[in-house]
Amino acid sequence: MNKDSKRREALLYHAKPTPGKIQVVPTKKYATQRDLSLAYSPGVAEPCLEIEKDVNNVYKYTAKGNLVAVISNGTAVLGLGDIGPEASKPVMEGKGLLFKIFADIDVFDIEVDTKNVEEFIQTVKNIAPTFGGINLEDIKAPESFEIERRLVEELNIPVMHDDQHGTAIISAAALINALELANKKAEDVKVIVSGAGSAAIACADLYRLLGVKFENIYMFNSKGLLTKGNTSLSELQLKYARDMEPISLEEAVVNADVFIGLSSRDVLSAQMLLTMSDNPIVFAMANPNPEIDYNLAISTRKDIIMATGRSDHPNQVNNVLGFPYIFRGALDVRATKINEAMKMAAVKALAALAKESVPEQVNVAYGATKLIFGKEYIIPKPFDPRLIAIVAPAVAKAAMDSGVAQHPITDWQKYEDDLLERLGNDNKMLRMITNKAKMDPKRIVFAEAEHLDVLKAAQIVYEEGVGIPILLGTKEVILELKEELGFDADVEIIDPKEKEEEERRNRFATAYWEARKRRGIVLYDAQRLMRERNYFAAMMVNEGEADGLVTGHSRSYATVLRPMFQLIEKAPGASIVATTNMMMTARGPMFLSDTAINIDPSAEELAKIALMTAKTARMFGVEPVIAMVSYANYGSSTNERASKVREAVAYLHKNHPDLIVDGEIQSDFALNPEMLQEKFPFSKLVGKKVNTLIFPNLDAANITYKLLKELNKVESIGPIMMGMGKPVHIFQLGASVEEMVNMATIAVLDAQEKGKKKK
């Protein structure tokens, strides 16, 4: 994508369909006059009076307890510098989005138009009654230090400047584990810090709490080692100034055990790295280009333990591992501040979590067979679903133990269960599968690339690094559309009808005819069919000239399905083909089957669909809990439509006793654990969270998933094809660009899985 196209895409993202990235959503009913009279006048007077009697009731009757202010004056924004409060607003909204999706914390972003420290402090103090916590963001040093210090002292709600403490907390967790792997003690190591800004000073402060000695820390800014004789240093920098003659960074790293980079690219050379001690620990955290290139570093020193700020290398030091969960824990006990004990609790929780067995969905997300504590895994991954239930309780306990909690937690198991429930919705699964696709992108044929929306989807797939698109259609049309979109990448374009493709058409036709000549196919028919894009695309996949294909945007599902069934064999051991849709619901991902192919499956087919769906769920790191749904509950009807579901369940219980599955059951009982426990305590689903629904027929499955998608705006990924021997996936007619991107991502994952089985 060229620079103008990237700029346009970024601007459109923030402008459409609604300007900005966050909004306020009512949490109470408001449909009737009665609702409105309770929400506002006269009913609103009652909670007002209760809060007047006891100010702590504000947490009981308002959203204060789950509301954080992200506050900036825009003086130190990202890599943009002092751009002003209005220009900083998109960044603050983005921080609010991260709070919400990782810890379910609501945010108002506040941009303050002053550079005066006292004015800023007074502004925040004056609005503080609105909020349960304050996250300071992108405020330049040294003013940021004084602002945070004063607000922590003068307010009775948690305040944290994430720019200072976020990197410190995450890197300190990584340092604990790196020191263990290097067989070194904190009190013995020599630490070089390249960078002397707010994050570097916060890191050094926290490392000292781990046991690193002051006299073993050498801190450098762009002008060299911080020394007592340097009159340009701030008061906080002077804290790390050494009483010695200046030395160069190159001299300082000799025999150093730890290098902490919070400065700029390439300041640590391979030659300098070679002079460090055995098992050197290098955290090169400058973004996007670290102080030493990761590949250069690991090829220079085989014994290195390395972390960066980048997501494409092991051990990413990412602030999102910290601030959402630190505030979550602080809010949940109504802490009056975020103190050193709470920060250290987060550090130790993160360090300990990296040593635990990793959930399969995290392995799936990062394309790993099994992530294990070691040099390439010293801190948890951002997609780890356990973070909220590990870090937030640790912070909450530390707040209680250190005496700053006003609302102690007594039932810790319930609290952890509640935290996990907060993660339910969302696009976390989508982010995980996209990340996995990027690990090993595959060649995906877009069989209808002449359509603008299809080409847009292919462009996104290419630019996100998810896959390598192959575009089928009339070259002139595709090239014109590419120019219109600013899609200037050199991707393969094929027109199956062109003369230059004659040799390939004939080769494909012959291969198809050889495979099907005893099933009514003649060579002439095979040659004619190869001029059609879906047949040509399917043969590209069959012949190994592409890894997968996506199609169906402009034609009915049945029409597109026909050539796939004619050309592509079923997967080994599969007797039927079915589809499932993965729905991103408020309770987490839900798999709904069969949504597109089998009109009225038999009991045996239903059982097979359930097994195929279970296998697909596991491909995404989800352990299936399956409800075989019906209009009846456990034998309440003898009608054959209910009976076939009951027979399918009996078959699964007998032949697959380890599979968590039950039915026949109505969908509300399957999804409501209290109702299920009360009426059917014998069910194998009691105490489990159902994440897979197998429907008795196509009508029920297709109608349900489309109702969910349109009425509740639930994101749908699918129909995901199950049982095909090759990665072939068909869009629903008129699929959106986003849906097509998701399906192409699934095609990449499918190709990855099928590729594993060949090895």
Side-chain angles (χ1 to χ4, degrees), residues 60-369:
K60 183 175 182 180
Y61 296 113
T62 77
K64 176 183 173 85
N66 196 51
L67 186 61
V68 165
V70 173
I71 303 182
S72 180
N73 60 2
T75 54
V77 178
L78 295 171
L80 304 176
D82 185 353
I83 60 175
E86 289 89 353
S88 75
K89 187 173 177 64
V91 180
M92 302 312 121
E93 288 185 350
K95 192 67 175 259
L97 184 148
L98 295 177
F99 266 109
K100 187 64 178 177
I101 65 176
F102 283 99
D104 193 29
I105 293 172
D106 296 318
V107 163
F108 289 159
D109 63 291
I110 308 290
E111 291 74 39
V112 181
D113 189 12
T114 183
K115 296 180 182 179
N116 181 280
V117 170
E118 195 61 39
E119 286 181 0
F120 190 97
I121 290 170
Q122 288 307 315
T123 299
V124 177
K125 287 176 65 177
N126 288 338
I127 64 172
T130 305
F131 300 100
I134 304 289
N135 181 92
L136 300 171
E137 194 79 13
D138 291 351
I139 304 166
K140 74 181 182 72
E143 291 91 333
S144 58
F145 293 103
E146 177 65 9
I147 288 170
E148 185 190 40
R149 183 189 68 78
R150 286 273 306 280
L151 290 174
V152 169
E153 287 179 1
E154 297 173 26
L155 291 177
N156 66 345
I157 57 175
V159 177
M160 188 172 82
H161 187 202
D162 187 49
D163 297 331
Q164 289 183 45
H165 304 293
T167 301
I169 290 165
I170 312 310
S171 65
L175 184 59
I176 288 174
N177 286 337
L179 289 171
E180 179 180 328
L181 291 169
N183 196 26
K184 296 179 180 181
K185 294 180 179 180
E187 56 267 29
D188 298 331
V189 293
K190 176 183 177 183
V191 178
I192 309 302
V193 181
S194 177
S198 58
I201 291 169
C203 284
D205 288 347
L206 203 51
Y207 299 165
R208 287 173 65 188
L209 292 178
L210 295 179
V212 175
K213 292 180 179 177
F214 169 80
E215 59 267 26
N216 289 340
I217 297 174
Y218 296 76
M219 187 174 289
F220 287 75
N221 65 11
S222 59
K223 296 177 182 177
L225 180 70
L226 303 192
T227 60
K228 297 287 187 185
N230 189 338
T231 58
S232 66
L233 301 182
S234 70
E235 183 179 341
L236 287 164
Q237 288 174 327
L238 280 171
K239 181 170 61 173
Y240 286 99
R242 301 184 65 91
D243 190 11
M244 61 182 287
E245 289 298 313
I247 60 172
S248 68
L249 183 64
E250 186 174 8
E251 292 172 306
V253 298
V254 175
N255 293 322
D257 300 286
V258 180
F259 176 91
I260 302 297
L262 289 155
S263 53
S264 56
R265 67 183 299 175
D266 300 335
V267 299
L268 182 68
S269 68
Q271 290 72 25
M272 293 162 68
L273 178 59
L274 286 169
T275 68
M276 292 183 68
S277 67
D278 292 342
N279 302 316
I281 297 166
V282 175
F283 294 173
M285 296 178 282
N287 252 336
N289 299 301
E291 284 77 5
I292 182 171
D293 177 75
Y294 176 81
N295 292 318
L296 173 62
I298 62 171
S299 63
T300 301
R301 292 287 299 259
K302 301 300 181 187
D303 58 343
I304 192 172
I305 302 170
M306 187 169 181
T308 71
R310 295 178 58 115
S311 61
D312 54 349
H313 299 311
N315 302 322
Q316 183 192 15
V317 178
N318 188 332
N319 284 17
V320 82
L321 289 168
F323 71 83
Y325 315 114
I326 293 168
F327 271 95
R328 179 77 272 158
L331 291 174
D332 291 338
V333 293
R334 297 183 197 166
T336 57
K337 61 181 61 181
I338 294 172
N339 57 25
E340 297 306 308
M342 294 160 73
K343 294 173 197 172
M344 190 54 67
V347 169
K348 292 179 178 178
L350 287 167
L353 183 58
K355 298 177 183 178
E356 300 291 330
S357 297
V358 175
E360 183 57 24
Q361 67 186 101
V362 180
N363 289 321
V364 167
Y366 291 93
T369 303

Side-chain angles (χ1 to χ4, degrees), residues 27 58-59 76 82-83 161 189 260 265 288 364 428 439 564 594 622 652 665 685 691-692 714:
T27 59
V58 70
Y59 289 97
D82 185 353
I83 60 175
H161 187 202
V189 293
I260 302 297
R265 67 183 299 175
V364 167
K428 188 162 287 191
M439 300 282 183
M564 305 305 145
D594 171 12
V622 175
L652 292 169
I665 188 172
L685 303 177
N691 54 32
T692 305
V714 172

Side-chain angles (χ1 to χ4, degrees), residues 600-724:
D600 187 18
S602 66
E604 182 182 0
E605 288 170 334
L606 278 177
K608 289 177 180 177
I609 291 168
L611 292 171
M612 294 166 75
T613 307
K615 184 177 179 181
T616 301
R618 292 190 182 105
M619 187 175 85
F620 295 107
V622 175
E623 188 56 33
V625 179
I626 305 172
M628 306 285 283
V629 293
S630 171
Y631 68 88
N633 285 311
Y634 296 110
S636 63
S637 171
T638 57
N639 183 279
E640 62 181 16
R641 295 191 178 186
S643 297
K644 73 173 184 179
V645 179
R646 190 158 58 252
E647 290 171 23
V649 171
Y651 172 87
L652 292 169
H653 283 175
K654 179 180 178 181
N655 295 286
H656 300 273
D658 294 335
L659 187 66
I660 303 171
V661 58
D662 215 343
E664 77 281 25
I665 188 172
Q666 293 174 354
S667 56
D668 54 349
F669 283 101
L671 299 175
N672 188 316
E674 290 78 19
M675 287 174 58
L676 183 66
Q677 173 71 57
E678 180 183 351
K679 297 295 184 183
F680 306 108
F682 57 84
S683 173
K684 292 180 180 290
L685 303 177
V686 167
K688 308 289 194 305
K689 187 175 180 180
V690 170
N691 54 32
T692 305
L693 301 178
I694 308 299
F695 290 85
N697 55 52
L698 181 59
D699 279 351
N702 191 273
I703 290 168
T704 300
Y705 105 76
K706 289 189 174 180
L707 278 173
L708 281 172
K709 184 163 74 85
E710 296 303 324
L711 291 181
N712 292 341
K713 301 303 178 187
V714 172
E715 186 160 12
S716 170
I717 300 178
I720 300 169
M721 194 84 77
M722 305 181 296
M724 293 291 278

Side-chain angles (χ1 to χ4, degrees), residues 488-551:
D488 53 7
D490 184 18
V491 298
E492 188 174 5
I493 303 173
I494 299 172
D495 184 349
K497 295 180 181 179
E498 279 191 347
K499 185 170 180 58
E500 65 186 57
E501 292 298 332
E502 185 174 1
E503 184 277 329
R504 183 154 37 181
R505 280 198 308 270
N506 288 335
R507 179 161 46 83
F508 285 176
T510 301
Y512 176 41
W513 175 66
E514 287 288 349
R516 299 296 179 110
K517 61 188 178 185
R518 294 183 181 274
R519 301 188 199 177
I521 296 296
V522 298
L523 182 59
Y524 173 79
D525 288 337
Q527 291 170 334
R528 176 179 53 81
L529 290 172
M530 289 309 130
R531 300 177 69 86
E532 296 184 19
R533 291 171 202 170
N534 285 324
Y535 283 87
F536 189 93
M539 285 305 298
M540 284 190 73
V541 177
N542 259 347
E543 296 299 300
E545 295 185 22
D547 300 307
L549 76 85
V550 288
T551 185

